[in-house]
Amino acid sequence: MHFEPKTFTLKDGRTLVLKNQEPENALEMLEYMRQTSAETENMVRYPEEVEISEEEIQRKKEMLKENQKDKRSLMLGAFLDGKLVGNAGIQSAGERFKMKHRASFGIAIIKEAWGLGIGGMLLDILLEEAPGMGYEMVELGVCEGNERGISLYNKKGFIQCGRIPKAFKLKDGTYRDEILMYRMVKKTME
């Protein structure tokens, strides 16, 4: 889906631009994915699982092109002084009638940009856009122990609705549960 860029001045005076992830940003996005995966155990992948090759760059470019054409999918990049520091998106949880009202949400912010309010801005915009995309509910899964994420989701009105035990297995052999959360975005379904 196309999104008109929005510019914000952060509390530290720097400029943040929220805009569509563009196909020409494919390499930067892969590097960002590798970085965020190295900075926290809360991601679904390890950094070495992010392949950076010509083939993968092309695949990411195609995915970003398709994403922009899809009226039910929105992926936003957060650019701080021109550098990609965050990414968030919503997409359909399913296209069959019984699931079409549900959107799946994901987000990551690089560590140097934590605490600047970027995650909240991205989430607010996606929650604002969701009803116009045909969604009534936004859902997410968050890794047990991700207190920053859980706090943000609680603050934005998400409700915990379940847990998948041992959903994530870490390299050291330990497990973490996945906490399932949702939020209604249409008044008609509250």
Side-chain angles (χ1 to χ4, degrees):
M1 177 179 135
H2 177 72
F3 177 81
E4 279 301 315
K6 292 189 179 186
T7 302
F8 300 89
T9 301
L10 298 178
K11 43 190 162 186
D12 66 0
R14 292 186 287 170
T15 301
L16 180 78
V17 178
L18 302 182
K19 62 182 183 175
N20 283 105
Q21 285 284 26
E22 300 291 341
E24 58 269 17
N25 294 347
L27 174 59
E28 183 179 18
M29 189 171 176
L30 289 167
E31 290 168 344
Y32 148 89
M33 290 169 60
R34 186 176 277 175
Q35 180 178 349
T36 57
S37 298
E39 292 176 335
T40 178
E41 292 283 343
N42 297 324
M43 302 299 290
V44 298
R45 67 188 152 266
Y46 281 106
E48 63 273 13
E49 295 176 309
V50 179
E51 181 185 335
I52 299 180
S53 64
E54 283 306 315
E55 185 178 310
E56 190 58 28
I57 292 168
Q58 278 308 119
R59 201 176 1 253
K60 186 62 73 181
K61 282 181 181 180
E62 289 305 313
M63 184 274 297
L64 292 170
K65 280 182 198 172
E66 290 304 311
N67 185 275
Q68 286 187 355
K69 292 178 194 172
D70 184 352
K71 292 182 184 340
R72 293 186 34 88
S73 188
L74 178 57
M75 185 180 300
L76 296 178
F79 294 84
L80 184 57
D81 294 331
K83 178 185 176 188
L84 178 62
V85 297
N87 184 70
I90 57 174
Q91 61 187 25
S92 179
E95 285 304 315
R96 301 215 187 275
F97 184 84
K98 291 181 180 182
M99 293 180 66
K100 209 171 182 173
H101 67 289
R102 296 168 48 200
S104 178
F105 169 80
I107 189 169
I109 309 291
I110 65 170
K111 198 169 193 172
E112 73 184 63
W114 289 2
L116 296 175
I118 296 169
M121 287 179 197
L122 284 164
L123 185 50
D124 285 344
I125 287 174
L126 291 169
L127 290 171
E128 217 173 87
E129 295 291 329
M133 298 168 70
Y135 298 119
E136 299 171 19
M137 178 184 349
V138 176
E139 56 194 56
L140 60 88
V142 60
C143 186
E144 170 186 40
N146 182 353
E147 298 309 321
R148 295 176 73 88
I150 293 167
S151 175
L152 173 65
Y153 305 140
N154 285 329
K155 182 179 168 184
K156 298 297 182 179
F158 281 81
I159 299 166
Q160 184 174 333
C161 60
R163 180 179 285 260
I164 301 173
K166 298 184 177 184
F168 303 104
K169 183 175 182 179
L170 305 182
K171 286 180 178 179
D172 66 6
T174 62
Y175 296 90
R176 292 209 183 141
D177 292 355
E178 181 176 15
I179 299 167
L180 307 176
M181 302 181 83
Y182 78 97
R183 179 185 153 175
M184 302 309 294
V185 291
K186 270 198 155 176
K187 299 229 183 276
T188 58
M189 297 241 355
E190 289 180 345

